[in-house]
Amino acid sequence: MYAKITGTGSYLPDHLMDNFELSEMVDTSDEWIQSRTGIKARHIAEQDTVVSMAVSAAKEAIRNAGIEPAGIDLVIVSSVSAEQILPCAACEVQAAIGADNAAAFDLNAACTGFISAYQVAAAQMKAGLIRTALVIGSECLSNLIDWTDRGTCILFGDGAGAAVITCQDSNIEVPFVLHSDGAKGAALSCSSGFGAEKSPYGNHIFMDGRAIYKFAVKQIPQLIHEILEQSGRSVEEIDLFLLHQANERIITSIAKHLQQDISKFPMNLQENGNISSASIPVLLDDLNRQGKLKPGMKLIVAGFGAGLTWGGMYLEW
């Protein structure tokens, strides 16, 4: 059994906020932001929501896969920024796209969310419970940003990405690796505002950028070697490494640790910023639409973020 991606889709809000616009809101500059992050702009939702963006991305993925919504068995939405608690975003997506036969639920693993959701779907396929799943990452992080904090507001954007995953009869093994370190969770946090303990940052994202950088450049190369060992592949055999689009410096450092050319690490963060659980599926859809994913290509897909969580998988396109 092989959980294969058979369709991708994405949606990004129309408002593209570049660094020059951002510099009118906070003490920063285009040069300062690009030199530290590689980010030139990010999409910001105005009328869009987590659900509306997820629906748009889902419809594109379904169209790309050439399936009918009624054939979907499971809908998972990964998000940390849904505007409402109940009903869950996945149930609203299910209703909007007409996936009447699907179970639906949300998942929160921050920037590792798409990887975690994919693993859940693949495990259900391996157990014989489902044949087709729709996995979506959708984020409206602009709702959680303190627009006076240049340490965080320069990083994040909004958008959604989706993938249709189908159960294929194959001997290909898909090793998944997931890790968590809750003891270091304070490095990247955001309070809901409920309960007795209030965050000093209000209902805004707080990030210790130095701690997250050290965490990512140490753990992700180790993670990739762990996946390679399980898949029986060498690092040289991998065609592309599709990583969470957090920061250009992080991705460049990971490439150096692995002694691989940076051309094997595609990036779209320059125009999108960090869109948490949506970043990997949006990148997948970009590459798919551009014809850069060829049948048989060997991919490592990996995410990392709040929790702290990190995880990845080996895929063949």
Side-chain angles (χ1 to χ4, degrees):
M1 188 287 302
Y2 180 49
K4 182 178 179 62
I5 296 176
T6 53
T8 63
S10 61
Y11 175 86
L12 297 168
D14 291 335
H15 181 192
L16 186 65
M17 178 186 287
D18 63 21
N19 293 338
F20 297 100
E21 181 181 351
L22 192 56
S23 68
E24 297 175 357
M25 302 166 58
V26 67
D27 182 18
T28 190
S29 69
D30 177 63
E31 187 279 331
W32 192 90
I33 297 171
Q34 286 204 53
S35 65
R36 287 159 176 79
T37 69
I39 298 169
K40 299 177 182 179
R42 71 286 297 146
H43 295 264
I44 301 298
E46 295 177 328
Q47 303 300 321
D48 294 301
T49 66
V50 164
V51 168
S52 70
M53 293 188 293
V55 168
S56 295
K59 288 180 177 179
E60 288 297 321
I62 291 166
R63 183 161 36 248
N64 185 239
I67 65 170
E68 294 296 326
I72 298 170
D73 303 308
L74 177 65
V75 177
I76 306 176
V77 172
S78 173
S79 183
V80 302
S81 54
E83 293 82 2
Q84 65 184 42
I85 298 172
L86 300 172
C88 71
C91 283
E92 293 209 272
V93 172
Q94 181 224 23
I97 64 175
D100 300 334
N101 299 313
F105 59 86
D106 289 356
L107 181 152
N108 178 351
C111 304
T112 315
F114 181 77
I115 304 293
S116 300
Y118 197 115
Q119 179 171 355
V120 170
Q124 291 211 22
M125 288 178 186
K126 193 167 186 177
L129 301 176
I130 65 170
R131 295 288 302 180
T132 303
L134 174 63
V135 176
I136 307 166
S138 184
E139 302 287 4
C140 196
L141 297 173
S142 58
N143 290 337
L144 307 179
I145 297 300
D146 178 355
W147 291 98
T148 66
D149 175 14
R150 76 170 185 173
T152 56
C153 73
I154 65 172
L155 300 173
F156 298 102
D158 302 334
V164 171
I165 306 168
T166 58
C167 186
Q168 308 279 316
D169 294 326
S170 170
N171 293 325
I172 299 173
E173 288 294 327
V174 183
F176 291 92
V177 179
L178 289 175
H179 293 292
S180 300
D181 186 358
K184 297 179 181 177
L188 182 49
S189 62
C190 183
S191 170
S192 69
F194 300 124
E197 294 187 12
K198 306 293 184 182
S199 166
Y201 304 97
N203 302 341
H204 298 137
I205 292 173
F206 163 77
M207 185 176 73
D208 181 339
R210 187 179 298 274
I212 295 299
Y213 177 86
K214 290 181 177 179
F215 149 69
V217 299
K218 176 184 178 182
Q219 297 296 349
I220 300 308
Q222 293 179 8
L223 170 78
I224 289 172
H225 283 300
E226 192 176 353
I227 297 168
L228 289 169
E229 183 177 354
Q230 290 191 24
S231 65
R233 301 291 180 181
S234 68
V235 68
E236 290 78 17
E237 289 181 87
I238 303 304
D239 295 299
L240 293 175
F241 297 85
L242 309 184
L243 306 186
H244 167 51
Q245 302 289 289
N247 183 302
E248 186 176 32
R249 280 184 172 183
I250 291 175
I251 295 174
T252 300
S253 180
I254 292 169
K256 288 180 179 178
H257 274 77
L258 295 171
Q259 299 182 337
Q260 295 296 294
D261 192 89
I262 193 63
S263 64
K264 296 175 72 171
F265 295 77
M267 286 182 266
N268 62 6
L269 60 86
Q270 296 89 340
E271 300 298 326
N272 296 340
N274 178 344
I275 41 179
S276 190
S277 63
S279 78
I280 290 175
V282 169
L283 179 62
L284 274 167
D285 186 51
D286 281 352
L287 296 172
N288 190 25
R289 285 186 292 104
Q290 293 167 19
K292 294 181 178 180
L293 297 177
K294 308 296 185 182
M297 287 185 77
K298 300 174 179 62
L299 313 175
I300 293 287
V301 187
F304 51 91
L308 296 173
T309 63
W310 64 106
M313 57 192 175
Y314 167 82
L315 294 178
E316 291 188 15
W317 194 252

